[in-house]
Amino acid sequence: MNIIRICPDFFYKKENRYKGLSISLVNIINELKRLGVYTEIITLRSDITNVGGNKIYLLQERRPFSVIRTGIDSYKLLKKLNFDIIHTHQYSFFFLYHYKSKFNVPLVHEIHGDPLSREKKISNFQKPNYRDELYNYHFNRYASKRANAVIV
């Protein structure tokens, strides 16, 4: 079995992102490999090109409209790969959900944090936080509705 994991950051030293998602993913990838499951990663930012022999594909973040362009770029890459499950870790790739039916494989979306409770924290209306939280809520909601399974 082959799993494609899609996440925005994977061991990105420049912004000190060596915690949380990256570390847990490496542990999951190593355990799955022990069980005979091969995992590849599609990401926007990474300082490494493979983890335990599993390939990491690095997409270029393109602005403006990076959320839409990232989904389209990941779709183009996925057409070339062989996999049984797509596992997304962030709404950054939400546009990919438009193409879900073309792959005919289960698409799993993992939410880091509860988007419903996050919406309630918007009450202070600080512009950067408000916008980010609003995007997080709506894009996660969009992705969750279209996924075959959601992990919270």
Side-chain angles (χ1 to χ4, degrees):
M1 175 178 277
N2 294 328
I3 298 175
I4 296 288
R5 292 187 178 268
I6 302 175
C7 55
D9 301 303
F10 190 76
F11 281 97
Y12 188 53
K13 187 176 183 179
K14 184 177 180 182
E15 295 182 20
N16 193 24
R17 300 196 183 207
Y18 279 4
K19 52 190 173 200
L21 176 61
S22 297
I23 293 170
S24 66
L25 268 180
V26 167
N27 291 334
I28 291 169
I29 288 168
N30 288 334
E31 187 61 25
L32 286 172
K33 187 175 181 182
R34 191 179 70 76
L35 298 171
V37 178
Y38 185 73
T39 304
E40 294 179 307
I41 294 176
I42 297 174
T43 187
L44 294 172
R45 293 172 288 277
S46 179
D47 292 331
I48 58 177
T49 57
N50 74 69
V51 57
N54 296 307
K55 185 151 177 55
I56 296 173
Y57 298 95
L58 191 59
L59 296 178
Q60 182 179 2
E61 188 170 15
R62 300 185 297 149
R63 297 190 183 271
F65 310 113
S66 66
V67 173
I68 293 171
R69 295 171 117 185
T70 300
I72 293 169
D73 290 347
S74 58
Y75 168 70
K76 289 176 182 176
L77 176 59
L78 287 169
K79 287 193 319 185
K80 300 173 186 174
L81 303 176
N82 181 25
F83 53 88
D84 302 302
I85 296 173
I86 300 172
H87 185 145
T88 61
H89 284 270
Q90 185 61 279
Y91 66 83
S92 304
F93 298 86
F94 91 98
F95 200 71
L96 180 62
Y97 288 86
H98 283 299
Y99 300 114
K100 181 179 99 166
S101 62
K102 295 188 188 276
F103 295 119
N104 200 27
V105 298
L107 202 150
V108 177
H109 180 60
E110 187 166 342
I111 299 172
H112 297 273
D114 180 3
L116 300 176
S117 66
R118 292 175 71 119
E119 182 186 35
K120 295 174 186 169
K121 295 178 185 176
I122 299 176
S123 60
N124 61 5
F125 286 98
Q126 294 175 347
K127 285 188 180 185
N129 290 340
Y130 175 76
R131 187 192 68 207
D132 291 347
E133 294 298 329
L134 199 59
Y135 283 169
N136 183 52
Y137 172 75
H138 286 291
F139 288 141
N140 268 317
R141 185 174 169 190
Y142 177 89
S144 297
K145 285 183 175 183
R146 286 155 181 81
N148 295 93
V150 178
I151 300 171
V152 179

